[in-house]
Amino acid sequence: MRLFQKKLPQSAQHTLGKHTLGLTAAGMTGIICPVMKTPVTVTVTGAAGNISYSLLFRIAAGEMLGADQPVILKLLEITPCLEKLQGVVMELEDCAFPLVKEIVATDDPAVAFKDADWCMLVGSVPRKAGMERKDLLSINGKVFVGQGKAIAENAAPGCRVFVVGNPCNTNCLIALHNATGMPKENFFAMTMLDEYRAKAQLAAKAGVAVSDVTNMTIWGNHSATQYPDFTNAKICGKPATDMIADEEWLKGEFIKTVQQRGAAIIKARGLSSAASAANAALMTVKNLTTPTPEGDWYSVCTFTDGTKYGLPAGIICSQPTRTNADGTYSIVEGLPIDAFSREKIDASCQELLEERAEVLG
Ligand code: NAD
Ligand code: LMR
């Protein structure tokens, strides 16, 4: 195991207070100093990879947890990539981010997940052209067995686990099953990128700004069966179906474009999406830690209890979600599901059940 660790000098660390907001007077000097919050420990796996190369610098800049939130970064890589990771650490240092209090880089999961508040599980092999994401299950699935165990044994109480590595829904389920004792509701997988892709497509078709598209749900699996639900989406506060009269496009090209966007990017770049994936990962954590604006929701994959929208119990499924004022999250209930949507949602859930059978068997 190799480990390199960069800490602030003790004198600087001593300035940290606990859970304190605002400014305070520094002793007798009359100087006004900011009193900083307790650092949050963020572990990122696959830290020398493409997504992490976009993600880490934005976390360090405060874009994920807030401009006043110090962070400790714990970076996990496989041993052959530690030298590359050291280069990333050097670049992080060279940014002199004021919020970064410590950087730990290691190939030991027990060290990487020690006291983690957020585990961003990015590290895993991306697919190549011609593959489906679920073809990665036999390669990547086993990574999440060991990492699930290491998180349960080492992370901070209340740690939240967010899976990006594909196939992210079922990898997340594997981590959850191996993280004995951890609450199931603390496990998440990413469909925010699909949500943004869907919003971008609807905005372009309607000729509006992307920020005018709200209430966009991705249902099901982060795969080619996912269902971007245009029936409940809104454009400028009105039903998307009122603003886009072309039903054939909505039911056909729109859905297919979103479902196949990852593959289209791989075909064009020769590499899977990275900056947009990092952006979506960052925004998912931001959404999960910030109260959701009234009337809206976002998409994230969470553990199903079998009581909502006819989704089978015990899968990690994308659903419309809101973050409450107390920091908990809730599934948005009562959305109408028409026959077209029902068929699409069921198909994606069926795929998740098949993936579950493959790994849990
Ligand atoms: P990449 O190959 O550039 O980087 C992956 C990194 O993970 C590599 O540096 C590798 O050494 C490391 N790694 C592999 N196994 C590891 C392990 N056991 N522990 C720690 N690190 C490990 O790939 P990338 O482009 O960064 O993509 C990473 C994953 O994210 C892929 O599986 C990709 O398909 C997935 N992805 C998901 C979404 C989504 O929307 N959910 C979007 C884009 C990419
Ligand atoms: C994406 O949606 O861009 C990622 O899941 C990468 C992929 O394999 O498509």
Side-chain angles (χ1 to χ4, degrees):
M1 187 272 285
R2 284 164 63 198
L3 168 73
F4 29 106
Q5 189 160 2
K6 305 283 177 183
K7 270 196 179 186
L8 275 187
Q10 279 300 313
S11 56
Q13 290 197 349
H14 287 159
T15 62
L16 300 179
K18 280 202 170 188
H19 305 295
T20 316
L21 294 169
L23 299 172
T24 186
M28 303 294 288
T29 63
I31 300 168
I32 303 295
C33 300
V35 175
M36 300 183 83
K37 295 176 172 177
T38 301
V40 168
T41 298
V42 181
T43 301
V44 179
T45 73
N50 282 317
I51 293 176
S52 292
Y53 195 66
S54 289
L55 179 62
L56 289 172
F57 296 85
R58 294 184 65 186
I59 296 174
E63 287 187 55
M64 185 168 86
L65 295 170
D68 61 346
Q69 179 57 65
V71 289
I72 294 171
L73 294 175
K74 297 203 172 173
L75 312 180
L76 181 67
E77 257 300 343
I78 51 172
T79 313
C81 290
L82 279 181
E83 193 176 346
K84 188 175 176 196
L85 180 58
Q86 189 152 22
V88 177
V89 171
M90 285 191 269
E91 285 207 71
L92 280 165
E93 286 173 354
D94 295 350
C95 292
F97 287 117
L99 292 173
V100 177
K101 298 301 162 197
E102 189 180 342
I103 303 173
V104 175
T106 179
D107 58 359
D108 182 348
V111 173
F113 294 124
K114 183 82 189 130
D115 300 329
D117 297 300
W118 275 98
C119 296
M120 315 278 289
L121 305 188
V122 181
S124 51
V125 174
R127 68 175 163 154
K128 305 267 185 310
M131 292 171 77
E132 288 299 331
R133 297 180 187 92
K134 65 183 165 197
D135 297 336
L136 295 168
L137 206 43
S138 58
I139 310 167
N140 289 337
K142 52 185 176 287
V143 169
F144 295 84
V145 175
Q147 291 188 355
K149 288 181 179 154
I151 291 168
E153 284 162 16
N154 294 286
C159 168
R160 283 179 278 181
V161 178
F162 175 50
V163 180
V164 175
N166 278 322
C168 60
N169 299 60
T170 302
N171 287 340
C172 183
L173 190 68
I174 295 171
L176 178 155
H177 273 270
N178 285 281
T180 310
M182 283 185 65
K184 292 179 169 53
E185 59 272 18
N186 288 16
F187 287 78
F188 308 91
M190 184 158 99
T191 42
M192 186 64 65
L193 180 54
D194 309 291
E195 176 181 322
Y196 287 158
R197 288 167 173 167
K199 283 179 165 174
Q201 294 300 316
L202 290 183
K205 181 77 174 173
V208 300
V210 81
S211 54
D212 291 330
V213 184
T214 59
N215 304 81
M216 185 72 234
T217 313
I218 303 294
W219 294 95
N221 198 1
H222 173 60
S223 75
T225 66
Q226 66 176 275
Y227 174 50
D229 182 359
F230 59 86
T231 69
N232 284 299
K234 291 187 180 156
I235 298 176
C236 301
K238 302 190 180 110
T241 46
D242 288 359
M243 302 291 283
I244 298 175
D246 189 347
E247 190 182 342
E248 194 184 328
W249 180 84
L250 285 168
K251 288 185 166 174
E253 194 181 327
F254 164 66
I255 295 176
K256 194 157 181 216
T257 301
V258 177
Q259 289 175 335
Q260 295 296 334
R261 190 68 161 187
I265 289 167
I266 291 171
K267 186 161 178 277
R269 286 182 87 223
L271 284 173
S272 73
S273 63
S276 57
N279 179 63
L282 187 123
M283 291 307 294
T284 306
V285 174
K286 193 168 177 179
N287 279 320
L288 284 165
T289 50
T290 315
T292 309
E294 201 50 46
D296 204 359
W297 60 76
Y298 58 89
S299 303
V300 66
C301 312
T302 47
F303 190 75
T304 51
D305 62 6
T307 66
K308 296 176 191 72
Y309 296 110
L311 306 176
I315 55 173
I316 299 284
C317 185
S318 187
Q319 304 170 70
T321 306
R322 285 181 55 79
T323 300
N324 307 310
D326 64 359
T328 60
Y329 69 87
S330 309
I331 306 302
V332 176
E333 296 196 58
L335 298 181
I337 305 293
D338 65 14
F340 179 84
S341 301
R342 182 79 266 159
E343 195 183 315
K344 299 281 180 202
I345 295 169
D346 288 349
S348 200
C349 287
Q350 182 55 35
E351 183 182 44
L352 283 168
L353 288 172
E354 285 162 16
E355 288 183 20
R356 182 179 74 174
E358 191 180 327
V359 295
L360 296 188

